[in-house]
């Protein structure tokens, strides 16, 4: 489970989170999806249970990403207590 607090200086700004890893076919991507988060201008706690796919090649490592460069809406995303 991934939990954090987030907000934006623009209501409605979106961000994503997800597991980025290499699968057994050698492809590196967000294989298990990237939940979309609609932010407000107030701090809010978000929590997601992300499940690593059974085809993950853990010998290649992996990453958890939380990023806010989505959509065409300008704004700044703030994340804390990650």
């Amino acid at each position: 489970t991934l939990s954090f607090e987030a907000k934006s200086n623009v209501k409605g700004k979106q961000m994503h989170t997800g597991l980025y890893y290499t699968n057994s076919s050698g492809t590196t991507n967000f294989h298990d999806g990237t939940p979309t988060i609609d932010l407000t201008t107030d701090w809010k706690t978000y929590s997601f249970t992300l499940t690593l796919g059974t085809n993950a090649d853990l010998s290649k490592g992996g990453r958890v990403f939380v990023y806010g460069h989505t959509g065409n809406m300008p704004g700044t995303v703030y994340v804390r207590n990650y």
Side-chain angles (χ1 to χ4, degrees):
T1 299
L2 172 68
S3 296
F4 56 90
E5 294 175 86
K7 72 175 188 172
S8 176
N9 65 330
V10 178
K11 183 180 179 182
K13 175 75 176 152
Q14 292 182 327
M15 63 181 290
H16 288 91
T17 185
L19 299 173
Y20 189 80
Y21 64 89
T22 303
N23 65 13
S24 56
S25 299
T27 304
T28 304
N29 205 333
F30 292 97
H31 297 288
D32 302 310
T34 55
T36 300
I37 304 160
D38 293 314
L39 298 172
T40 67
T41 55
D42 296 315
W43 288 108
K44 183 177 173 187
T45 301
Y46 298 90
S47 183
F48 298 92
T49 299
L50 304 171
T51 304
L52 189 63
T54 58
N55 65 344
D57 182 352
L58 297 180
S59 70
K60 306 280 194 238
R63 307 270 188 290
V64 175
F65 279 90
V66 175
Y67 58 99
H69 58 39
T70 59
N72 59 0
M73 180 181 290
T76 304
V77 172
Y78 302 94
V79 178
R80 68 182 184 191
N81 298 323
Y82 181 71

